[in-house]
Amino acid sequence: DTEVTQTPKHLVMGMTNKKSLKCEQHMGHRAMYWYKQKAKKPPELMFVYSYEKLSINESVPSRFSPECPNSSLLNLHLHALQPEDSALYLCASSRGLDYPYEQYFGPGTRLTVT
Amino acid sequence: DAKTTQPTSMDCAEGRAANLPCNHSTISGNEYVYWYRQIHSQGPQYIIHGLKNNETNEMASLIITEDRKSSTLILPHATLRDTAVYYCIVRVAMRTSGSRLTFGEGTQLTVNP
């Protein structure tokens, strides 16, 4: 099984809402990632988790809060977002960080902030 | 990680080989060349990677020049389903940097019937 699943597929939220994005993998991968992709642009790295610990935060605003409750799950908690945060949010996983292992991506959550 | 340069777009006829070039003239000795693709509205998909030698898998072949300053991804028999944005990425094999995938603008490959 080389699948990374993400829920929900689509999300519309107001600027005062709190919502969460969920990502799951069952490949035994120890590194998980969040990327953000604006329309017609390449994906940009947001966060990296290794062995359930935050390894990299690419200076992401605090209204995005990642969480890795176990090695298979990765959440992204959203609060007080702005319309410019509307984007495709991609989750990925890889075997680890000690080698540039290939990353497996989920289909993404398309977020619209109104 | 080294910067890469790719053409913005390319066309290919269905059934023919698609050859996608990538320039990475500042690549270092310990940096790998990776290729991913992204079909419209889907997550990126890993295709292939290499360090020095040419590589082949069930999806594609990767040809890296002897000086490693450029590479070519070859899809031997392109199909309509290969229409996607193809990203060439150079990554160093170090614990602190191994995690980063820095995507450039990529090449939009359109396979025509």
Side-chain angles (χ1 to χ4, degrees), chain B residues 41-112:
Chain B
S41 295
Q42 296 183 22
Q45 177 190 24
Y46 165 79
I47 301 173
I48 198 167
H49 75 280
L51 182 62
K52 293 182 187 176
N53 301 320
N54 299 336
E55 302 288 345
T56 295
N57 63 21
E58 64 279 2
M59 287 183 69
S61 294
L62 174 60
I63 308 297
I64 302 174
T65 57
E66 195 168 338
D67 64 7
R68 304 208 323 121
K69 292 186 176 183
S70 65
S71 60
T72 301
L73 178 75
I74 301 172
L75 307 178
H77 304 286
T79 71
L80 299 179
R81 286 192 300 271
D82 293 321
T83 292
V85 178
Y86 287 76
Y87 296 103
C88 169
I89 301 163
V90 173
R91 296 173 67 195
V92 65
M94 289 174 60
R95 182 179 293 273
T96 55
S97 305
S99 59
R100 280 186 172 83
L101 266 185
T102 303
F103 288 85
E105 296 298 322
T107 296
Q108 171 66 58
L109 174 70
T110 302
V111 180
N112 301 305

Side-chain angles (χ1 to χ4, degrees), chain A residues 26-46:
Chain A
H26 295 287
M27 294 178 275
H29 288 175
R30 304 318 300 252
M32 296 186 76
Y33 313 77
W34 281 114
Y35 289 82
K36 174 181 177 179
Q37 186 173 26
K38 300 281 282 183
K40 298 190 190 301
K41 290 293 184 184
E44 294 179 342
L45 183 66
M46 300 174 72

